[in-house]
Coordinates of all heavy atoms in Angstrom, one line a residue:
V5 N 0.7 -7.4 12.5 CA 2.0 -8.2 12.4 C 2.5 -8.4 13.8 O 2.4 -7.5 14.7 CB 3.0 -7.4 11.5 CG1 3.5 -6.1 12.2 CG2 4.2 -8.3 11.2
L6 N 3.1 -9.5 14.1 CA 3.8 -9.8 15.3 C 5.2 -9.4 15.2 O 5.9 -9.5 14.2 CB 3.7 -11.3 15.6 CG 2.4 -11.9 16.1 CD1 2.4 -13.4 16.0 CD2 2.1 -11.4 17.5
D7 N 5.8 -8.9 16.3 CA 7.2 -8.5 16.3 C 8.1 -9.8 16.3 O 7.6 -10.9 16.5 CB 7.5 -7.6 17.5 CG 7.6 -8.4 18.8 OD1 7.0 -9.4 18.9 OD2 8.3 -7.9 19.7
P8 N 9.4 -9.6 16.0 CA 10.2 -10.8 15.9 C 10.2 -11.7 17.2 O 10.4 -12.9 17.1 CB 11.6 -10.2 15.7 CG 11.3 -8.9 15.0 CD 10.1 -8.4 15.6
S9 N 9.9 -11.2 18.3 CA 9.8 -12.0 19.6 C 8.5 -12.8 19.7 O 8.4 -13.7 20.4 CB 10.0 -11.1 20.8 OG 8.8 -10.4 21.0
G10 N 7.5 -12.4 18.9 CA 6.2 -13.0 18.9 C 5.4 -12.6 20.1 O 4.3 -13.2 20.4
E11 N 5.8 -11.6 20.9 CA 5.1 -11.2 22.1 C 4.2 -10.0 21.8 O 3.2 -9.8 22.6 CB 6.1 -10.8 23.2 CG 6.8 -12.0 23.8 CD 5.9 -12.9 24.5 OE1 4.8 -12.5 24.9 OE2 6.3 -14.1 24.7
W12 N 4.5 -9.1 20.8 CA 3.7 -7.9 20.6 C 3.1 -7.9 19.3 O 3.7 -8.2 18.3 CB 4.7 -6.7 20.8 CG 5.2 -6.6 22.2 CD1 6.4 -7.0 22.7 CD2 4.5 -6.1 23.3 NE1 6.5 -6.8 24.0 CE2 5.4 -6.2 24.5 CE3 3.3 -5.5 23.5 CZ2 5.0 -5.8 25.7 CZ3 2.9 -5.1 24.8 CH2 3.8 -5.2 25.9
L13 N 1.9 -7.4 19.2 CA 1.1 -7.4 18.0 C 0.9 -5.9 17.6 O 0.5 -5.1 18.4 CB -0.3 -8.0 18.2 CG -1.2 -8.1 17.0 CD1 -0.7 -9.2 16.0 CD2 -2.6 -8.5 17.4
Y14 N 1.2 -5.6 16.4 CA 1.1 -4.2 15.9 C -0.1 -4.2 14.9 O -0.1 -5.0 13.9 CB 2.4 -3.8 15.2 CG 3.6 -3.6 16.1 CD1 4.2 -4.6 16.8 CD2 4.1 -2.3 16.3 CE1 5.3 -4.4 17.6 CE2 5.2 -2.1 17.2 CZ 5.8 -3.2 17.8 OH 6.8 -3.0 18.7
T15 N -1.0 -3.2 15.1 CA -2.2 -3.1 14.2 C -2.2 -1.7 13.6 O -1.9 -0.7 14.2 CB -3.5 -3.4 15.0 OG1 -3.6 -2.5 16.1 CG2 -3.5 -4.9 15.5
T16 N -2.7 -1.7 12.3 CA -2.9 -0.4 11.7 C -4.3 0.1 11.9 O -5.3 -0.7 11.8 CB -2.7 -0.5 10.1 OG1 -3.4 -1.6 9.6 CG2 -1.2 -0.7 9.9
E17 N -4.5 1.4 12.2 CA -5.8 1.9 12.6 C -6.1 3.3 12.1 O -5.1 4.0 11.8 CB -5.9 1.9 14.1 CG -5.7 0.5 14.7 CD -5.8 0.5 16.2 OE1 -6.2 1.5 16.8 OE2 -5.5 -0.6 16.8
S18 N -7.3 3.7 11.9 CA -7.7 5.0 11.5 C -9.0 5.4 12.2 O -9.7 4.7 12.8 CB -8.0 5.0 10.0 OG -6.8 4.8 9.2
E19 N -9.3 6.7 12.1 CA -10.5 7.3 12.5 C -11.2 7.9 11.2 O -10.6 8.4 10.3 CB -10.3 8.5 13.4 CG -9.6 8.1 14.7 CD -9.3 9.3 15.6 OE1 -10.2 10.2 15.7 OE2 -8.1 9.4 16.1
T20 N -12.5 7.7 11.2 CA -13.3 8.2 10.0 C -13.1 9.7 9.8 O -13.3 10.4 10.8 CB -14.8 7.9 10.2 OG1 -15.0 6.5 10.3 CG2 -15.6 8.4 9.0
G21 N -12.7 10.1 8.6 CA -12.5 11.5 8.3 C -11.2 12.0 8.7 O -10.9 13.2 8.3
S22 N -10.4 11.3 9.4 CA -9.1 11.8 9.9 C -8.0 11.6 8.8 O -8.0 10.7 8.0 CB -8.7 11.0 11.1 OG -7.4 11.4 11.5
T23 N -7.0 12.5 8.9 CA -5.8 12.4 8.0 C -4.7 11.8 8.7 O -3.5 11.8 8.2 CB -5.5 13.8 7.4 OG1 -5.2 14.7 8.5 CG2 -6.6 14.3 6.6
H24 N -4.9 11.2 9.9 CA -3.8 10.6 10.7 C -4.0 9.1 10.9 O -5.1 8.7 11.4 CB -3.7 11.3 12.1 CG -3.4 12.8 12.0 ND1 -2.2 13.3 11.6 CD2 -4.3 13.9 12.2 CE1 -2.3 14.6 11.6 NE2 -3.5 15.0 12.0
G25 N -3.0 8.4 10.5 CA -3.1 6.9 10.7 C -2.3 6.6 11.9 O -1.4 7.3 12.3
W26 N -2.6 5.4 12.5 CA -2.0 5.0 13.8 C -1.5 3.6 13.8 O -2.1 2.8 13.1 CB -3.0 5.3 15.0 CG -3.3 6.7 15.2 CD1 -4.2 7.5 14.6 CD2 -2.6 7.6 16.1 NE1 -4.2 8.7 15.1 CE2 -3.2 8.8 16.0 CE3 -1.5 7.4 17.0 CZ2 -2.7 9.9 16.8 CZ3 -1.0 8.4 17.7 CH2 -1.7 9.7 17.6
I27 N -0.5 3.3 14.6 CA -0.1 1.9 14.9 C -0.4 1.7 16.4 O 0.0 2.5 17.2 CB 1.4 1.7 14.7 CG1 1.8 2.0 13.2 CG2 1.8 0.3 15.1 CD1 1.2 1.0 12.2
A28 N -1.1 0.7 16.7 CA -1.4 0.3 18.1 C -0.5 -0.9 18.4 O -0.3 -1.8 17.6 CB -2.8 -0.1 18.3
V29 N 0.2 -0.9 19.6 CA 1.0 -1.9 20.0 C 0.3 -2.7 21.1 O -0.1 -2.1 22.1 CB 2.4 -1.4 20.6 CG1 3.3 -2.6 20.9 CG2 3.0 -0.5 19.6
R30 N 0.0 -4.0 20.9 CA -0.9 -4.8 21.7 C -0.2 -6.0 22.3 O 0.8 -6.6 21.6 CB -2.1 -5.2 20.9 CG -2.9 -4.1 20.3 CD -4.0 -4.6 19.4 NE -4.8 -3.4 18.9 CZ -5.8 -2.8 19.6 NH1 -6.1 -3.4 20.8 NH2 -6.4 -1.8 19.1
R31 N -0.6 -6.5 23.4 CA -0.1 -7.8 23.9 C -0.7 -8.9 23.1 O -1.9 -8.9 22.7 CB -0.6 -8.0 25.4 CG 0.1 -7.0 26.3 CD -0.2 -7.4 27.8 NE 0.5 -6.5 28.7 CZ 1.8 -6.7 29.1 NH1 2.4 -7.7 28.6 NH2 2.3 -5.9 29.9
R32 N 0.2 -9.8 22.7 CA -0.3 -11.0 21.9 C -1.3 -11.8 22.6 O -2.3 -12.2 22.0 CB 0.9 -11.8 21.6 CG 0.6 -13.2 21.1 CD 1.7 -14.2 21.3 NE 1.2 -15.6 21.3 CZ 0.9 -16.3 22.4 NH1 1.0 -15.7 23.6 NH2 0.4 -17.5 22.3
D33 N -1.2 -12.0 23.9 CA -2.1 -13.0 24.6 C -3.5 -12.4 24.8 O -4.5 -13.0 24.5 CB -1.5 -13.4 25.9 CG -1.0 -12.3 26.8 OD1 -1.1 -11.1 26.4 OD2 -0.6 -12.6 27.9
T34 N -3.5 -11.1 25.2 CA -4.8 -10.5 25.6 C -5.4 -9.6 24.5 O -6.6 -9.3 24.5 CB -4.7 -9.7 26.8 OG1 -3.8 -8.6 26.6 CG2 -4.2 -10.5 28.0
L35 N -4.5 -9.2 23.5 CA -4.8 -8.2 22.5 C -5.1 -6.8 23.0 O -5.5 -6.0 22.2 CB -6.0 -8.7 21.6 CG -5.9 -10.2 21.1 CD1 -7.2 -10.5 20.3 CD2 -4.7 -10.3 20.2
R36 N -4.8 -6.6 24.2 CA -5.0 -5.2 24.8 C -3.9 -4.3 24.3 O -2.7 -4.6 24.3 CB -5.0 -5.3 26.3 CG -6.1 -6.2 26.9 CD -7.4 -5.6 26.8 NE -8.5 -6.5 27.4 CZ -8.8 -6.5 28.6 NH1 -8.1 -5.8 29.5 NH2 -9.8 -7.4 29.0
K37 N -4.3 -3.0 24.1 CA -3.4 -2.0 23.6 C -2.6 -1.5 24.8 O -3.1 -1.1 25.8 CB -4.2 -0.9 22.9 CG -3.3 0.2 22.4 CD -4.0 1.2 21.5 CE -5.0 2.0 22.3 NZ -5.6 3.0 21.4
E38 N -1.2 -1.4 24.6 CA -0.3 -0.9 25.6 C 0.4 0.4 25.1 O 0.8 1.2 26.0 CB 0.7 -1.9 25.9 CG 0.2 -3.2 26.5 CD -0.4 -3.0 27.9 OE1 0.0 -2.1 28.6 OE2 -1.2 -3.8 28.3
A39 N 0.4 0.7 23.8 CA 1.1 1.9 23.3 C 0.6 2.2 21.9 O -0.1 1.3 21.3 CB 2.6 1.7 23.3
E40 N 0.9 3.3 21.4 CA 0.5 3.7 20.1 C 1.4 4.8 19.5 O 2.1 5.5 20.3 CB -0.9 4.2 20.0 CG -1.2 5.4 20.9 CD -2.6 5.8 20.9 OE1 -3.5 5.0 20.6 OE2 -2.9 7.0 21.2
F41 N 1.5 4.9 18.2 CA 2.3 6.0 17.6 C 1.7 6.2 16.2 O 1.1 5.3 15.6 CB 3.8 5.8 17.6 CG 4.2 4.4 17.1 CD1 4.3 4.2 15.8 CD2 4.6 3.5 18.0 CE1 4.7 2.9 15.3 CE2 5.0 2.2 17.6 CZ 5.1 1.9 16.3
P42 N 1.9 7.5 15.6 CA 1.4 7.8 14.3 C 2.2 7.2 13.2 O 3.4 6.9 13.3 CB 1.4 9.3 14.2 CG 2.5 9.7 15.2 CD 2.5 8.6 16.3

């Protein structure tokens, strides 16, 4: 999902076998990850 400004992309992510889900915060233009939180 894009944030209301349209600049940041948030993606849902997991690791195989893990019980912890993650949100990655990415730049819209390059798709590179800049931050993350559970």
Side-chain angles (χ1 to χ4, degrees):
V5 67
L6 286 164
D7 77 335
S9 73
E11 290 293 340
W12 296 97
L13 184 72
Y14 291 69
T15 57
T16 53
E17 302 179 9
S18 291
E19 298 173 46
T20 298
S22 173
T23 58
H24 300 288
W26 292 88
I27 300 292
V29 186
R30 302 174 176 277
R31 292 189 177 276
R32 163 204 160 263
D33 52 355
T34 65
L35 307 178
R36 300 286 179 85
K37 182 170 66 174
E38 298 291 336
E40 61 183 22
F41 48 81

